[in-house]
């Protein structure tokens, strides 16, 4: 199984820290944020990684190289300075990701979502008729309404008021088919694709109640640093 880490964001809310450092390379617990993903993917047996980048993207390549320091192999999907949004970035990277279901993770979250379970989901998903499986988290203070509704049957609804309203964690398993209508090298958002698939009952999901932090501000970066330093199992 392959995984893609989304690392093309500009990180406006993190300025001035991101004026000269791409957000995924900001440190928490002595490690770049993206490094924790690489370590946990390796531990889960996922070693083929695709990373997209835009703002200061060459710094990401210079820092991570081919991934050997983390025991993984990294392929890069450069998007240019402006980036292509999430769906556009994934569609552009499809030649690197292949024809099988793949895991996608936002590069600016800190989480202990079970990446090993993602492999099992990727194996079974094509047999269910679903196009995606998303991890949701309880709504944080900065997103009190939530993004989607988790229904009792495990399907996701585009209306967070249906079922249990929750926030998208930024981690999901996708079939390439979800992006079939999205042209590469063209900016496109992920949410409309997901909502359309939800309307066809083709997106499943589950709640993650463990560690999850959207590291979108300097304050949350300091929080991430404290969390990692307190967790001896992440040393």
């Amino acid at each position: 199984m392959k995984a893609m880490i989304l690392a093309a964001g500009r990180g406006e809310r993190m300025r001035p820290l991101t004026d000269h450092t791409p957000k995924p390379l900001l440190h928490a617990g002595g490690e770049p944020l993206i490094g924790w993903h690489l370590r946990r993917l390796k531990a889960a047996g996922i070693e083929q990684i695709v990373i997209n980048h835009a703002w200061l993207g060459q710094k990401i390549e210079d820092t991570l190289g081919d991934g050997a320091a983390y025991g993984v192999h990294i392929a890069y999907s450069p998007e240019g300075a402006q980036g292509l949004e999430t769906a556009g970035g994934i569609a552009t990277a499809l030649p690197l990701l292949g024809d099988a279901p793949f895991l996608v993770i936002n590069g600016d979250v800190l989480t202990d979502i079970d990446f090993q379970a993602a492999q099992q989901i990727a194996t079974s998903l094509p047999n269910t008729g679903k196009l995606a499986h998303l991890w949701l988290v309880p709504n944080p203070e900065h997103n009190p309404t939530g993004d989607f509704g988790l229904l009792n049957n495990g399907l996701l609804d585009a209306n967070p008021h249906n079922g249990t309203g929750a926030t998208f964690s930024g981690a999901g398993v996708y079939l390439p088919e979800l992006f079939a209508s999205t042209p590469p090298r063209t900016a496109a958002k992920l949410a409309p694709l997901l909502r359309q698939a939800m309307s066809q009952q083709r997106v499943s999901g589950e709640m993650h109640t463990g560690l999850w932090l959207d590291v979108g501000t300097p304050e949350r970066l300091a929080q991430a640093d404290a969390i990692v330093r307190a967790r001896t199992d992440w040393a």
Side-chain angles (χ1 to χ4, degrees), residues 7-147:
R10 173 66 174 83
E12 290 288 349
R13 292 176 299 161
M14 198 69 87
R15 297 183 67 185
L17 298 178
T18 51
D19 285 346
H20 304 289
T21 302
K23 185 160 61 169
L25 293 186
L26 295 176
H27 277 229
E31 179 81 69
L33 284 171
I34 199 169
W36 292 116
H37 283 333
L38 295 174
R39 290 185 183 280
R40 298 195 66 253
L41 288 168
K42 168 64 177 178
I46 302 173
E47 299 180 358
Q48 299 295 316
I49 316 295
V50 176
I51 298 176
N52 69 333
H53 61 68
W55 172 251
L56 300 177
Q58 189 58 48
K59 288 192 174 184
I60 295 176
E61 294 198 27
D62 292 344
T63 299
L64 302 179
D66 62 3
Y70 291 91
V72 299
H73 180 270
I74 298 174
Y76 294 98
S77 181
E79 298 181 1
Q82 297 305 312
L84 299 172
E85 302 281 2
T86 301
I90 295 172
T92 300
L94 284 179
L96 299 172
L97 291 165
D99 299 325
F102 49 86
L103 172 67
V104 176
I105 318 157
N106 283 1
D108 58 356
V109 298
L110 184 72
T111 184
D112 60 3
I113 286 172
D114 186 357
F115 294 151
Q116 200 161 20
Q119 298 196 74
Q120 301 166 357
I121 292 167
T123 299
S124 61
L125 202 60
N127 301 322
T128 67
K130 306 295 187 299
L131 293 173
H133 181 91
L134 310 182
W135 280 268
L136 305 180
V137 296
N139 295 330
E141 290 183 2
H142 61 271
N143 192 39
T145 303
D147 299 315

Side-chain angles (χ1 to χ4, degrees), residues 143-232:
N143 192 39
T145 303
D147 299 315
F148 307 122
L150 177 60
L151 307 180
N152 290 334
N153 60 5
L155 292 175
L156 295 188
D157 192 289
N159 187 344
H161 297 292
N162 293 333
T164 301
T167 292
F168 177 37
S169 70
V173 175
Y174 304 99
L175 268 66
E177 181 185 347
L178 179 66
F179 306 94
S181 63
T182 304
R185 313 301 315 173
T186 302
K189 295 181 180 297
L190 178 61
L193 295 182
L194 290 174
R195 293 191 181 103
Q196 181 180 13
M198 287 175 193
S199 71
Q200 302 167 348
Q201 299 186 323
R202 301 191 71 184
V203 182
S204 58
E206 63 184 272
M207 191 72 76
H208 174 70
T209 56
L211 171 62
W212 181 85
L213 180 67
D214 172 12
V215 191
T217 65
E219 293 76 17
R220 284 187 230 142
L221 180 64
Q223 187 178 351
D225 182 74
I227 289 171
V228 174
R229 293 185 184 280
R231 287 186 62 143
T232 57

